[in-house]
Each structure stands twice: as structure tokens, then as C-alpha cells.
């Protein structure tokens, strides 16, 4: 099951890749400009040398002949030797004269051991593969480092989160709607999630792992329903869910505001998402699957005030989630 918190980043990455390909290949494709004969294929470099020899046979411009020879950089001697071995339509005498002119102006230019002409540049295409390979290797190392770091962090024991006092002095006295007896043993994991009015994309999820780091499931809290119109959203219900990799079904409980729970139509509609429960500060609900149990405890909650009916939407909600293997938590009789 793909974690809900990864949906937006994955979609953003896919859209970014598609837009990048569209821009790079359709809107503004790469065009090579200011290339040199040294960047040509071998057969085209030989053809270029033949044309340079033919041109010199006509204009007798030795400096221009040398410049055209130097445009080939390190490939000049090989191209000249290839033309000598296969003149094609080039006059052999013209080849000898061209070679003589090159040797006079550049004594070492006409031999295979000639040093590169001053200012000759290595073709850009020869650097692409090494640069891409280095970037790929660096990316693999970085990804491996991040992965190992996360694995180490996940295997570190999580400190238990102590119960906080209600942040709102005027909050009602907690009224539990399920037993809050202590667990029979230490939970696999403890998480805390906080919603505040204005967090319209609120959707927290947490991975549940064994002490050895094996993934066994996932739990989380998200917006279940809203009331009214406009922004920010007025959240009237939260979905508390539990996913078990050994179970085919995700279990969900719907924590509803006092007003939403008292409305028969709203309660019936939200029953399609999960078991409806009226949220009370200090209350606890349990979610159970084939091999996992999760206790969701409302540490703190406050209703919003405004034009909407009292107790209809939440200003703030803090929920603590504790996960055990099946049979590890003490539940009400």
C-alpha cells in the first residue's frame, strides 16, 4: 500500500518529468552550434580533408590550408594519412603539395606523432558519457546513504510520549468513551499527530515496524468530512485508519464532532467510511486487524467558534496512536 503522504510527491515527480521531456524535446530541443570538423565522424573527417586538399590545389593559400588542417585537432594526421591511402578523386600530386605545405608551416603536423595544434579542443561529445556516469554513480551513493540513514533511525527505540495536559485552559473535563487501561506490554510504535484549523491538506500516516525493522503495517489520521463553505475548511470528522500487510482490508474509525454525530443524515453518510464515534477529549478508540491493534487516544481537542453551529467543527485536534501486535493491547471487556 502506497503511503498517502507520498502520493503528492510522486505525482509531482511524474508531472515534472513529463514537462521536462516535453520542453527538452518539443518546445526547446537542443541544437548544436559552432561545431568544429574535429567533432565529425571519421569518414566525414576524411571527406573534409579531401575538400581542404582540393581547395589548396586551387587557391594555393598555405595559411588557410594549415588552419583547416588544425581544425581537425588530434584527428588531422590520421585524416591526412587516410586520404593518402585512399585518394578517391583527389589528385595524388595535390596531396603531396598539401602535405609539404603543412610540414613547412607546422613541422610536426604531417606525421602521426604530431602534437595537437594550439587551441584545439577536445570534442564535447567525448565528455558526455563520463559526466553522466559520474552523476549517476553519485546519485546512487546519495540514495544509498539516505536509505541506510533512515533504516538506522527506524531501528532506534522510540521514546514513549508522555500524556500532555490540555493546552486550552477552558477545555472540558476529559470524558473517555472507551477503556484507557494500560497496555499489557510496550507498543511497537507510538505516534502523535496534531491538526490545527487551516491545515486543509492534513493527512498524516506512519509506518509500523517490528523491533528488527520489518514493515508490518501503517496507520494514520486524515480529514474525513467538512462542514460549511469557504476557506479554511471546517473539519467536522477525522478518519483514523489502520493498514495491515497481512490483512486485505483497511480498518477505519470516523471521529465526528458533537454536532455531526447528532445529525442522523451525516452519521449515516459517514458510516460508509468507517464506524462513527463521537470525539471526546481523552477518549480512546481501538482498531484491530489480522495481526495488529492500534489505540487512538484523543489527547486534546477544541471546537471552533463562528457562524456555524456550536460543536460542529474542530479548531484543534491532537491524537496519539499506539500500535501493538494482535493481542498486545488491553482493550475494554
Amino acid at each position: 500500500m502506497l503511503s498517502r503522504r507520498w502520493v503528492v510527491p510522486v505525482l509531482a515527480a511524474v508531472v515534472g518529468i513529463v514537462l521536462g521531456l516535453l520542453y527538452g524535446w518539443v518546445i526547446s530541443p537542443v541544437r548544436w552550434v559552432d561545431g568544429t570538423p574535429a567533432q565529425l565522424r571519421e569518414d566525414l573527417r576524411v571527406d573534409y580533408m579531401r575538400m581542404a586538399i582540393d581547395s589548396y590545389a586551387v587557391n594555393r593559400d598555405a595559411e588557410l590550408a594549415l588552419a583547416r588542417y588544425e581544425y581537425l585537432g588530434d584527428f588531422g594526421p590520421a585524416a591526412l594519412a587516410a586520404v593518402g591511402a585512399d585518394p578517391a578523386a583527389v589528385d595524388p600530386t595535390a596531396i603531396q603539395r598539401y602535405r609539404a605545405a603543412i610540414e613547412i608551416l607546422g613541422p610536426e603536423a604531417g606525421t602521426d606523432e604530431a602534437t595537437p595544434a594550439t587551441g584545439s579542443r577536445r570534442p564535447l561529445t567525448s565528455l558526455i558519457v563520463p559526466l553522466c556516469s559520474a552523476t549517476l554513480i553519485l546519485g546512487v551513493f546519495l540514495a544509498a546513504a539516505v536509505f541506510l540513514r533512515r533504516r538506522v533511525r527506524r531501528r532506534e527505540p522510540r521514546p514513549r510520549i508522555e500524556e500532555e495536559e490540555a493546552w486550552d485552559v477552558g477545555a472540558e473535563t476529559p470524558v473517555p468513551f472507551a477503556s484507557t487501561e494500560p497496555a499489557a506490554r510496550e507498543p511497537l510504535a507510538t505516534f502523535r499527530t496534531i491538526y490545527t484549523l487551516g491545515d486543509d491538506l492534513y493527512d498524516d500516516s506512519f509506518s509500523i515496524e517490528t523491533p528488527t525493522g520489518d514493515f508490518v503495517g501503517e496507520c494514520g489520521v486524515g480529514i474525513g468530512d467538512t462542514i460549511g463553505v469557504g476557506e479554511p475548511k471546517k473539519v467536522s470528522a477525522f478518519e483514523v485508519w489502520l493498514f495491515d500487510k497481512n490483512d486485505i482490508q483497511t480498518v477505519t474509525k470516523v471521529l465526528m464532532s458533537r454536532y455531526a454525530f447528532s445529525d442522523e443524515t451525516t452519521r449515516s453518510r459517514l458510516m460508509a467510511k468507517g464506524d462513527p464515534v463521537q470525539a471526546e477529549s481523552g477518549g480512546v478508540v481501538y482498531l484491530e486487524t489480522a495481526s495488529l491493534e492500534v489505540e487512538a487516544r484523543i489527547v486534546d481537542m477544541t471546537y471552533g467558534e463562528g457562524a456555524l453551529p456550536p460543536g460542529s467543527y474542530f479548531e484543534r485536534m491532537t491524537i496519539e496512536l499506539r500500535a501493538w501486535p494482535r493481542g498486545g493491547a488491553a482493550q475494554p471487556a
Side-chain angles (χ1 to χ4, degrees):
M1 175 180 177
L2 182 63
S3 175
R4 298 184 184 183
R5 60 182 172 181
W6 291 109
V7 172
V8 174
V10 169
L11 290 178
V14 172
V15 172
I17 293 173
V18 172
L19 293 179
L21 292 175
L22 179 64
Y23 181 83
W25 289 92
V26 179
I27 299 176
S28 181
V30 176
R31 293 185 300 172
W32 288 91
V33 295
D34 298 330
T36 66
Q39 295 173 314
L40 297 173
R41 295 197 315 263
E42 181 180 0
D43 58 326
L44 297 180
R45 291 196 297 267
V46 174
D47 289 341
Y48 170 84
M49 180 59 70
R50 290 193 180 102
M51 290 186 288
I53 294 173
D54 287 339
S55 175
Y56 176 69
V58 174
N59 56 39
R60 299 291 182 173
D61 189 338
E63 292 184 357
L64 179 60
L66 178 62
R68 289 173 173 171
Y69 178 86
E70 290 179 341
Y71 287 155
L72 288 172
D74 295 341
F75 302 106
L80 184 56
V83 174
D86 182 16
V90 180
D91 185 359
T93 302
I95 298 175
Q96 295 177 0
R97 291 174 179 173
Y98 185 85
R99 188 188 302 273
I102 297 302
E103 291 176 350
I104 292 173
L105 296 180
E108 298 180 353
T111 64
D112 289 343
E113 294 78 19
T115 57
T118 304
S120 63
R121 296 181 299 175
R122 188 178 182 182
L124 181 61
T125 52
S126 63
L127 299 176
I128 293 178
V129 173
L131 289 176
C132 291
S133 300
T135 303
L136 179 61
I137 293 174
L138 179 60
V140 171
F141 275 111
L142 290 176
V146 172
F147 175 77
L148 292 176
R149 183 178 179 183
R150 289 183 176 178
R151 296 294 294 182
V152 171
R153 283 186 174 181
R154 287 180 177 180
R155 294 191 179 188
E156 292 178 353
R158 298 177 182 268
R160 293 193 61 184
I161 303 176
E162 300 296 334
E163 181 176 354
E164 298 178 346
E165 295 183 358
W167 70 283
D168 188 351
V169 177
E172 299 177 357
T173 303
V175 180
F177 51 86
S179 171
T180 56
E181 297 178 12
R185 53 178 171 164
E186 287 295 315
L188 291 175
T190 301
F191 312 103
R192 179 162 295 192
T193 175
I194 300 175
Y195 163 82
T196 54
L197 182 64
D199 187 0
D200 292 348
L201 300 179
Y202 173 73
D203 186 10
D204 272 351
S205 59
F206 310 95
S207 295
I208 304 173
E209 298 179 351
T210 64
T212 59
D214 296 327
F215 175 80
V216 293
E218 198 171 30
C219 62
V221 183
I223 295 176
D225 196 25
T226 60
I227 187 172
V229 295
E231 295 183 350
K233 293 180 179 179
K234 310 301 189 298
V235 178
S236 59
F238 292 96
E239 293 182 29
V240 183
W241 54 271
L242 170 62
F243 165 73
D244 183 349
K245 75 171 187 177
N246 297 318
D247 203 336
I248 61 175
Q249 185 176 5
T250 298
V251 178
T252 303
K253 295 289 181 73
V254 182
L255 299 180
M256 305 174 63
S257 67
R258 183 171 60 248
Y259 178 85
F261 187 80
S262 63
D263 183 68
E264 182 66 28
T265 302
T266 302
R267 189 168 66 252
S268 299
R269 175 169 55 84
L270 293 181
M271 285 182 65
K273 296 184 177 182
D275 297 336
V277 179
Q278 180 176 335
E280 298 286 352
S281 183
V284 177
V285 294
Y286 290 92
L287 298 92
E288 186 176 282
T289 60
S291 59
L292 290 173
E293 297 177 15
V294 165
E295 174 193 272
R297 181 170 59 91
I298 300 178
V299 177
D300 169 57
M301 58 168 277
T302 305
Y303 285 119
E305 298 179 354
L308 294 174
S312 59
Y313 69 95
F314 298 99
E315 175 81 21
R316 179 183 174 94
M317 173 73 79
T318 302
I319 298 177
E320 181 181 272
L321 303 170
R322 295 196 295 172
W324 289 268
R326 181 72 177 273
Q331 297 194 26

